[in-house]
Amino acid sequence: MARILTGIQSSGRPHLGNILGAILPAIELSKNPQNESFFFIADLHSLVSLKSGPDRSEYVRAIAAAYLAMGFDHQSNVFWRQSRVQEHAELAWYLSCFTPFPMLANATSFKEKSEKLADVNAGLFTYPVLQAADILLYDANIIPVGKDQKQHLEMTKDIASRFNQLAGEDVLVLPEPQIDEHIMTIPGIDGQKMSKSYHNYIDIFLPENELKKVTRKILSASTALEDSKDPDIDITFKLYSLLASETDIETMRQNYISGGYGYGHAKQALYECILEKFAEPRRIFNYYMENTAELENILTEGEEKARNIAQQTIRKVRKVLGFSS
Ligand code: ADP
Ligand code: TRP
């Protein structure tokens, strides 16, 4: 049985890119009875960039509600928030003492972000060590992540090997990343990669009127209504193609080519398609966002399961390091 583990930062509400690019593929993997899935909300990681406590709690709830709304079975898997299992932070400290400074200093993600961000804190620097702790605490085998996380996974393996070498035994299990090259980058409403940092995302859980407003804002050319349009360069069409049925996509393609069909019509069709496709997830999402006590209970149950396993690893690590009596 393979242990699948992945985390998502609570630095914003989940958007269509997160859902199609990370949440749904992870849920798909979790449906294989050969797998045991460990999904957590990386709220400690979110502190690197997000300092507001109320916003963090809101985003944690929204991400948890989104996983449940998209069909994640929290009962037969493990689903929790990272900050509630203190062993993550504890192991991160131990591992940081096995992490060479240049490994962190040369990490691509650190280098890119430290050039762009105003707040370059030590958490940004040691981010990969906490990520290694997240993975190694649970003896996880397979880590489904986006391409941008490949280096972090290599660092995790490297740190684990150094630790095992010192211990003289395989205390920590070396994980394998699972990078699905077929998962496409979902475009945002401006055509760049959809991302919360670019404020170009579609939050499919918004109330209807707000969702409609966002879809209306999708960038489009200024081709006149009666003229023929090229569907393959249009953002609305691209987004529609990710969600609609083959027949509906083909109909929209023909409408673009024939002319007499405006971008406004396409945006309205996309809006209706989101409402229809995600009707049930929207209902479940709203249910959990209104019944937060129920959501808390689910996360607390998951936390207990996670803690049990994390503690077993931490005990072994403490023993090797001479921290246990
Ligand atoms: P954001 O770019 O909004 O900050 P994150 O970096 O928190 O998103 O990404 C969380 C997960 O969602 C990652 O696994 C990432 O690969 C996936 N993801 C984010 N944006 C997209 C996108 N536009 N297309 C596909 N997957 C995405
Ligand atoms: N760094 C990951 C991201 O930004 C989130 C993350 C934190 C994670 N800990 C993890 C992913 C452990 C996989 C395993 O997407």
Side-chain angles (χ1 to χ4, degrees):
M1 179 174 273
R3 196 170 271 183
I4 316 273
L5 177 141
T6 196
I8 186 163
Q9 281 196 68
S10 52
S11 43
R13 277 170 62 106
H15 54 68
L16 186 63
N18 302 141
I19 291 173
L20 299 181
I23 298 180
L24 281 174
I27 293 177
E28 233 8 78
L29 280 176
S30 74
K31 288 185 177 154
N32 179 344
Q34 301 293 317
N35 295 338
E36 190 185 8
S37 292
F38 285 64
F39 293 174
F40 69 96
I41 301 166
D43 53 352
L44 290 175
H45 276 112
S46 75
L47 187 55
V48 168
S49 55
L50 176 72
K51 301 299 188 273
S52 157
D55 283 354
R56 188 175 352 273
S57 325
E58 166 72 11
Y59 299 155
V60 165
R61 281 195 287 273
I63 290 169
Y67 265 100
L68 299 171
M70 298 316 299
F72 182 57
D73 177 354
H74 66 92
Q75 272 164 333
S76 48
N77 296 294
V78 188
F79 187 44
W80 76 105
R81 62 179 94 179
Q82 181 193 33
S83 62
R84 301 296 176 92
V85 178
Q86 292 174 5
E87 286 74 8
H88 287 253
E90 183 179 342
L91 184 60
W93 171 251
Y94 301 152
L95 296 179
S96 71
C97 302
F98 290 82
T99 309
F101 179 87
M103 189 198 279
L104 295 178
N106 294 324
T108 319
S109 168
F110 173 71
K111 281 207 276 197
E112 278 175 13
K113 288 192 174 154
S114 58
E115 275 163 26
K116 270 194 226 144
L117 299 177
D119 175 21
V120 181
N121 56 60
L124 181 71
F125 188 67
T126 57
Y127 184 111
V129 184
L130 179 58
Q131 182 160 351
D134 298 337
I135 297 168
L136 300 171
L137 262 184
Y138 299 96
D139 293 348
N141 312 108
I142 298 172
I143 318 296
V145 281
K147 283 178 230 151
D148 59 326
Q149 297 296 312
K150 199 169 175 186
Q151 193 174 44
H152 287 170
L153 269 293
E154 279 158 10
M155 290 160 90
T156 300
K157 283 167 80 172
D158 208 340
I159 297 169
S161 312
R162 282 164 195 272
F163 186 94
N164 286 345
Q165 229 170 352
L166 171 110
E169 53 180 305
D170 289 345
V171 178
L172 302 173
V173 173
L174 271 56
E176 281 306 325
Q178 178 159 313
I179 296 160
D180 189 341
E181 302 288 345
H182 301 294
I183 293 177
M184 63 174 295
T185 302
I186 314 300
I189 60 171
D190 58 356
Q192 292 187 77
K193 170 190 182 284
M194 186 179 288
S195 169
K196 57 186 162 302
S197 354
Y198 305 148
H199 304 288
N200 64 352
Y201 57 87
I202 298 180
D203 175 352
I204 60 156
F205 299 116
L206 282 176
E208 291 185 13
N209 54 345
E210 289 178 47
L211 181 64
K212 193 172 199 163
K213 259 193 233 159
V214 177
T215 51
R216 285 222 189 100
K217 281 197 217 149
I218 299 173
L219 196 69
S220 47
S222 48
T223 325
L225 177 80
E226 54 285 5
D227 291 349
S228 167
K229 301 173 183 66
D230 181 355
D232 295 319
I233 55 166
D234 183 56
I235 305 163
T236 309
F237 182 77
K238 271 191 198 139
L239 290 168
Y240 189 76
S241 308
L242 294 167
L243 304 173
S245 69
E246 273 180 35
T247 347
D248 289 347
I249 299 169
E250 196 42 40
T251 307
M252 188 182 275
R253 173 181 288 284
Q254 290 314 321
N255 284 335
Y256 268 67
I257 296 168
S258 317
Y261 184 83
Y263 294 113
H265 296 124
K267 290 175 188 178
Q268 177 68 21
L270 173 65
Y271 161 70
E272 285 168 15
C273 174
I274 295 174
L275 284 187
E276 195 195 315
K277 188 169 173 85
F278 297 112
E280 187 59 4
R282 283 169 57 86
R283 189 191 64 71
I284 302 172
F285 180 88
N286 286 329
Y287 172 83
Y288 282 117
M289 293 304 275
E290 279 155 22
N291 295 275
T292 49
E294 208 171 311
L295 195 60
E296 283 292 332
N297 281 341
I298 291 174
L299 290 171
T300 308
E301 265 173 40
E303 183 181 311
E304 282 158 14
K305 290 194 240 172
R307 190 177 298 113
N308 269 332
I309 300 168
Q311 284 181 343
Q312 292 172 26
T313 309
I314 269 294
R315 253 183 248 125
K316 285 191 257 173
V317 170
R318 282 190 198 142
K319 190 161 174 242
V320 167
L321 298 177
F323 290 126
S324 50
S325 52

